[in-house]
Amino acid sequence: KAGVTQTPRYLIKTRGQQVTLSCSPISGHRSVSWYQQTPGQGLQFLFEYFSETQRNKGNFPGRFSGRQFSNSRSEMNVSTLELGDSALYLCACAGQGLLETQYFGPGTRLLVL
Amino acid sequence: EDKVVQSPLSLVVHEGDTVTLNCSYEVTNFRSLLWYKQEKKAPTFLFMLTSSGIEKKSGRLSSILDKKELFSILNITATQTGDSAVYLCAVVKDAGGTSYGKLTFGQGTILTVHP
């Protein structure tokens, strides 16, 4: 089956701009989580969406938001970009069971200048 | 605050050596512990541990969880250069319902295997 896809794969933005990243999960997987990975902070949980509702949220400012559509595809938006938002943004999906494996997409590398 | 600590942060070994990677945690509402391997791309799943004392094995890799002492270890025997990667430990909090839950990752252990 097809894996998790993320678009775009690379992105360069300037401070103050906003950005929208997209994630298409494996077919049938309804849980989509987003992570930020930086060399200094490692992998940090942003939020999880399940059945179009945000179910869990990490400790990120309100500039980071997301949504999920009825086909389980998810988007993440970052407004008023800051230099520190430069990172690899990963999404991961899981099936419906509580003990399902979480599968990661290839990530979107965002550079903020 | 939830915390996941991995040790050592980096490790350099030669092919054929056996390595043990450690992960300790302080998390409320623990559901499971996950191990991932990350090379120059997205993390790939290795193991999920939910019960204490039950070893999970896959080839040369094995892992075990101690829920009383709040730690897990990942063992790799007869290491190969292809095992060089960052190994990540993550703990899943039980968020209720059918959602996957909130993951807290450790800093990772950078393993380098020399020929």
Side-chain angles (χ1 to χ4, degrees):
Chain A
K1 54 185 174 183
V4 183
T5 57
Q6 290 187 245
T7 56
R9 294 293 310 279
Y10 302 92
L11 205 48
I12 299 175
K13 291 283 188 179
T14 55
R15 276 181 298 175
Q17 287 187 309
Q18 78 163 25
V19 66
T20 299
L21 312 181
S22 180
C23 171
S24 293
I26 294 169
S27 177
H29 285 196
R30 293 165 60 190
S31 165
V32 176
S33 299
W34 287 90
Y35 300 88
Q36 182 195 66
Q37 187 172 33
T38 60
Q41 299 295 320
L43 252 168
Q44 293 185 283
F45 175 82
L46 281 155
F47 29 66
E48 180 202 3
Y49 284 86
F50 184 89
S51 292
E52 302 177 64
T53 303
Q54 187 181 90
R55 301 301 180 103
N56 296 286
K57 191 174 189 310
N59 299 323
F60 279 80
R63 301 185 296 107
F64 291 82
S65 63
R67 58 178 176 167
Q68 186 180 34
F69 301 93
S70 58
N71 62 357
S72 294
R73 188 177 72 85
S74 177
E75 287 181 348
M76 191 193 92
N77 186 76
V78 187
S79 62
T80 320
L81 284 166
E82 301 176 359
L83 296 179
D85 297 333
S86 295
L88 179 67
Y89 290 88
L90 293 161
C91 85
C93 67
Q96 202 159 336
L98 294 180
L99 299 181
E100 287 282 333
T101 300
Q102 194 173 56
Y103 297 92
F104 280 83
T108 293
R109 189 163 293 280
L110 171 65
L111 177 61
V112 181
L113 301 175
Chain B
E1 186 180 325
D2 299 331
K3 197 189 304 186
V4 178
V5 177
Q6 292 185 243
S7 64
L9 293 182
S10 66
L11 194 52
V12 180
V13 300
H14 287 93
E15 273 191 320
D17 288 350
T18 292
V19 299
T20 297
L21 310 183
N22 304 291
C23 174
S24 63
Y25 63 91
E26 293 175 31
V27 171
T28 54
N29 300 323
F30 173 92
R31 175 191 287 172
S32 60
L33 186 144
L34 310 176
W35 283 98
Y36 286 90
K37 176 182 180 182
Q38 186 174 27
E39 297 167 270
K40 292 188 195 298
K41 48 186 178 178
T44 53
F45 173 80
L46 294 174
F47 297 112
M48 173 185 285
L49 302 155
T50 57
S51 303
S52 243
I54 298 176
E55 187 181 43
K56 293 281 184 91
K57 289 198 74 165
S58 177
R60 298 176 292 103
L61 277 67
S62 63
S63 184
I64 198 161
L65 174 67
D66 186 326
K67 287 170 78 171
K68 184 180 174 189
E69 299 298 329
L70 308 182
F71 77 90
S72 174
I73 61 173
L74 174 68
N75 276 323
I76 308 175
T77 58
T79 51
Q80 302 170 356
T81 55
D83 295 327
S84 296
V86 177
Y87 290 84
L88 295 163
C89 164
V91 176
V92 186
K93 289 175 68 109
D94 191 348
T98 53
S99 70
Y100 193 79
K102 178 181 174 182
L103 269 69
T104 301
F105 279 85
Q107 324 92 294
T109 293
I110 303 171
L111 174 65
T112 304
V113 182
H114 288 310

